[in-house]
Structures are given as C-alpha cells and as structure tokens.
Amino acid sequence: MLSLPALYMAEIEIKFATRQSSHQLLEECVVPFVEKTGARLEKLPAQSLQNDYYDTPEQLFHEHKIGFRVRQNGDQIEQTVKTQGNVDAGLHARGEYNVSLSKPVPDLTLFPREIWPQDWNIVDINTQLSRQFSTHFKREGYLVFWQNSQIEMVVDKGEAATEKISAEINEIELELKTGRVEDLFALAALVNQHAEVRLSDVSKAARGYQLLHGWQLHVKPLPAVLPLHHNISTEAAFAEAVKCALAHWQHHEHLFIETGSVKMLQEVGTSVRLLLQSVSLYLPVLQCPQMLALHKQLMDYAQQWSWLDDLQSLRYLLSKKSLFARFLSKHPALVSYLQGRKAGLLHAHEPAHGFYATESTAIKLGAAQLLELKPWQSHAQGFDVPVMEHAKGWLSQGWQTLQQSMPKNRNMQEANYAAIEMLLRQTLWNGFLLADMFPEEHGQFRAPWLDIVKGIDELKALLILQNAISDTELASPTEAREWVASKITSLVQVMERTRQIAVQGDLYWQNLNLNND
C-alpha cells in the first residue's frame, strides 16, 4: 500500500464466465464442496454496484488498455483506474487505484500523476471525459480461508450496456487477498470440477467496449513466427509459446461464444495444436509431473477437436471464394448435402458446450499455473540456459525425420501427403516456435512448406467432395467425379513442384554462429 491520495492495490484474480445464474451456481454447486475441504467461509455483504465507464472522444483510455470507472454502492462513491497489467490464461495481475468521491463525477486529478503516461495532460483530458457504457450488477460471495490464504470468492450477475445494446454478466471471480498463488489455483480447480464454467480473460470494461464498437468478426492471425530475443532462456521461451497459444485460444473462443461465428472454431483448433506442440517440444528439458500431466490432457483434448478438420474442409468447399464455387453452383444437390454435413457436425459436437467443459478449463488453469509456479525448477536442469542451445538440434531432428518420410527422389501421391501431414505440421510448428532467433532467411525456407500444407488442406476438401458425389444423386455423376479427379491430379502435381523447390532451401539454423550475440 502506498501513502498516496489514491489507494493502490495489486490485484491477482481468476475470472470464470458461466452460462447459468452465477449466484445459483455458487450456492448449489461450489460452496458445499469448498466447505467439505475444511475451508472456512465468511459471508460477505451483498452489494448492488452501479458502474459508469468514461473515456475521451478519441478513446484514449481504451487505446492504452486502461479501465476507468466511477462506482456507486449505496451512498459510497469511488473512482477506479485499472492499469493494463498482465492476463495469462485467465490469471489477471494488474494495478488498481481507488479514490473516494463525494459525488458521481470523475476527477482524474485526484490520482497520482505517475500512474499516467508521461505525455498525458490530465487536466485537459479530465474536461473531455464522457460516459461510454455502464455495468450494473449484484455481487455476492464469501471470504474463503483456504489452506494458508484468504481468497475472495464472489459472483457478479447483471449486465453491461450502452445506450443501444446490452449483454448479460454472469461471472465467478476468485481474488487472492493474502497468501499463496498456488492456493488460488487449487480453489479455482475445485470450482471447475463442480460447476460449468469457462476461464475468461475479458474484463467487464473490455466487454463494454466490445458492445460500444460492435463485434469485430475478423480472425486475429498469429504472427509469422513467435517473437523471441536471441538470448532468451529455455523456460522463458516456453512461457512465450504458451502465452501466445492461450491468448489466441481465448480470444477466438470468446468471439464464438458471443457471436456464434463458426470461423472462430478453426482458430481454437489451431491454438490447441500450438499449445500441444509447445509442451511436446519443451517437455524433454522442462520435464516434471505437471508438464507430463498437461501433455496427456492436451493429447486427449486435441483428439476431441479432430472433427474441426472436416468442418474446415466443408467451410472451404462452401465458400463463394473457393476454387470449387463455379463447379458447385451447377450441382445444388451437392451444396445441400455439404451444408447438411456442416450443420450435422456442429450439432453433434456442440462446441459452445465444450468450451464450458471441465477438461477445457482444466487445461487453461494447468498451463497458467505452470507459468506462474515453474515446477520444473525443482525437477529438471537446463531450464535457465539459452533456448538457442537446444534450438538447432530440435529443428535438425524434425527436418531429418521429415526428409526420411518424403525423400526427394520419391513421387508423392495424395495418400503419401495425407500420411505425412501431421509430421509436417509438427515440424512447421517447431519452426514457428524457434525461427525468430535465426536470420530472416527462415521466411524463405518456410514459405514453400507452408504452401504444401495449404495444398494438403485443399486436397482433403477435394476428397470430401469426391465422397459426397458418391452419396448424392446427381444427373451426371461420372462427369463430376472426373472433374474432381482431374483437380486432385493437378493439385498433387503443383505440390510436387513446390516440394522440389522446398527441399533445395538452405537450412536457416545451420549457419548461425552461436558465439555471435
């Protein structure tokens, strides 16, 4: 705590989103099991919180990822600034500054000057403030005396609203008041075991801004390669990989939950595979029981999402921008069949339900806990050496295995490409995770191999189309089959030419002098 006009609090919390009433979920599904552990629960006074969020016309706070609100709880009025901080897999750690007010009118000049960006004129900004949106909710909960820690466990039920639109708020939040972060994770795991929850990295302020600006249904692409500096340690490089995968996962999962946009599901599948490959790659060095457990969970979980490959193929076939659009426009029965298969996949697998499943949340909690507690430090050696000492060997091993599976002088057919797909993707993921430490030539090396992966995706779509022709009554099925067969032949020929270029590329990790920092 600082002796300043504003009270500063370092906030560490885990936030869950729920699909049903958070109050009912807490009382019926969580509290009884927390009490069974021997933890002591102290009921907190219920609060009705009225929150108005302010910003400038240029959205200055939003641009700097700062949340600023005025909160009223009965006769108590308080203004709060929350700094950007860090959110890793749902573990929120950020600065919070609170100042009491006599009336619900914001006054930025009451906060310490040092909390703001240096170039901000606070007096001028204060005159520009206007209310952007509100979050009004009822808060109930308990102070939990868990192991050697005190954790505030509360539920928020209400809504976020602009002048034109609103969205429901149903959340369970766990905030560490005193004690150990591992106790916070232990309580979070218990909540996940007994309630249908989804780990959330989206604050109430962020939801308000999403309502204000409208949903941006664009896929947020991964970088070309994971940004890393040359001397980064092995454990730090692993942390960057996990953070990247989880951020991508949670961003697109959230957009799917809020909008139902099916294209977000493929990005979730990509994130799960990236997270799995990150754990697989670093497991030999960071080996510990927790890493092994997470690896097994991810292996099982990735298998549960394997149906996304068929969904991606169907979406590609049905896209008006695909290479098949003109052909399919002549065969409405095929289009109807493919649309039915797509709808059937979504109905059978219920992805929204899957995101609230225990396994999904357990993986995110497990990954966040790994990054926070670093359990490998008491089980393994070499975690603090530069990852560059491992990178060349890891990349060479993957490349050699790939060469053995698709020799340069071998003519590959569609079945051969299907057989090496997983190995090729794993090798390219390893490159994504490590290539940034090497010269820029990695882009030239990776480009043709990435084109081959795109070719495999097109090939899988064509094979689904080929099977669909057999399952559909067409006026001229022979002509349709011949068209698909010719496309498969042409595609494989292009992939073969691309492969001949790809295998001639210089191995970008081979010529780097490790003594040059």
Side-chain angles (χ1 to χ4, degrees), residues 54-57 61 68 106-108 125-131:
Y54 290 82
D55 209 333
T56 66
F61 289 157
F68 174 59
D107 187 351
L108 301 179
I125 292 173
N126 201 60
T127 65
Q128 301 177 41
L129 294 177
S130 63
R131 187 175 67 182

Side-chain angles (χ1 to χ4, degrees), residues 142-283:
Y142 297 86
L143 185 61
V144 182
F145 296 84
W146 175 279
Q147 303 295 339
N148 299 311
S149 303
Q150 294 181 28
I151 301 168
E152 191 175 79
M153 179 173 66
V154 300
V155 293
D156 293 337
K157 179 173 176 57
E159 69 172 13
T162 67
E163 293 182 355
K164 297 180 180 179
I165 191 172
S166 65
E168 206 173 23
I169 292 173
N170 270 306
E171 296 175 347
I172 298 177
E173 292 186 2
L174 308 177
E175 182 178 348
L176 183 64
K177 292 300 188 182
T178 62
R180 309 182 309 165
V181 174
E182 46 262 60
D183 292 335
L184 180 68
F185 278 109
L187 182 56
L190 188 71
V191 172
N192 181 45
Q193 288 168 15
H194 298 288
E196 192 179 53
V197 295
R198 178 177 63 86
L199 203 62
S200 173
D201 63 351
V202 180
S203 67
K204 294 181 182 68
R207 292 195 71 192
Y209 277 112
Q210 287 170 344
L211 292 175
L212 190 67
H213 297 144
W215 294 104
Q216 302 299 313
L217 294 182
H218 303 298
V219 167
K220 187 176 181 180
L222 288 166
V225 293
L226 181 69
L228 297 174
H229 63 80
H230 183 72
N231 291 319
I232 192 169
S233 71
T234 301
E235 67 176 9
F238 172 68
E240 290 303 312
V242 172
K243 290 176 186 178
C244 176
L246 288 172
H248 197 72
W249 180 349
Q250 291 187 268
H251 174 78
H252 295 95
E253 174 185 290
H254 174 69
L255 284 179
F256 176 78
I257 292 292
E258 295 289 349
T259 69
S261 175
V262 175
K263 64 184 176 182
M264 302 304 163
L265 293 176
Q266 191 58 41
E267 297 307 309
V268 172
T270 296
S271 307
V272 172
R273 286 171 176 165
L274 173 56
L275 184 57
L276 172 58
Q277 192 59 30
S278 301
V279 175
S280 299
L281 181 65
Y282 284 90
L283 184 58

